[in-house]
Amino acid sequence: MSLLKISTDEGVVGWSDIETQPHVGKLIVDLPSSGTAGFESLRSALVGEDPLERERLRQKMYRYMAYYGRQGAGMQMMSGVDIALWDIAGKAFQQPVCKLLGASYRER
């Protein structure tokens, strides 16, 4: 298991745990750019983007992961990014993520 940390320009930090080997996840995040969509790292899909645009970023990451495979560790990392982006949204709006998702059924 590994932890994924995403930091915004404003200093908001989102976290997620991921069920993949840390060295594999790091490669998927940090692979050097080839300049062609489908051969890019997750980092290049996210840097400079609005973290609150989760659906658009999910689609962009999906395109960027074409070469590496859309299953296994690549999808685990994308899922981790999605969770970390929800964490950022909750912190940005000062709301629990369950409330942002519309599913706050319990008080604690």
Side-chain angles (χ1 to χ4, degrees):
M1 179 161 66
S2 55
L3 289 174
L4 175 72
K5 175 184 174 184
I6 297 179
S7 302
T8 68
D9 294 341
E10 288 80 30
V12 181
V13 177
W15 292 93
S16 175
D17 66 325
I18 302 161
E19 296 293 326
T20 194
Q21 294 293 319
H23 63 282
V24 174
K26 183 166 177 39
L27 284 173
I28 292 168
V29 170
D30 292 335
L31 284 168
S33 173
S34 70
T36 306
F39 296 90
E40 299 289 342
S41 67
L42 287 182
R43 180 183 306 279
S44 62
L46 299 171
V47 170
E49 295 285 358
D50 182 347
L52 300 178
E53 294 182 358
R54 291 174 304 279
E55 179 59 26
R56 187 180 64 75
L57 292 176
R58 186 199 66 78
Q59 291 175 14
K60 186 177 180 184
M61 288 186 295
Y62 192 76
R63 284 192 317 272
Y64 276 40
M65 296 305 300
Y67 177 74
Y68 308 114
R70 293 176 174 149
Q71 58 187 4
M75 291 306 287
Q76 289 172 332
M77 294 305 294
M78 281 181 53
S79 176
V81 168
D82 187 55
I83 292 167
L85 293 177
W86 276 106
D87 189 29
I88 289 170
K91 291 172 180 174
F93 295 118
Q94 299 179 354
Q95 296 289 321
V97 172
C98 64
K99 186 149 184 131
L100 296 177
L101 293 169
S104 182
Y105 295 110
R106 295 179 179 86
E107 292 189 24
R108 53 179 220 154

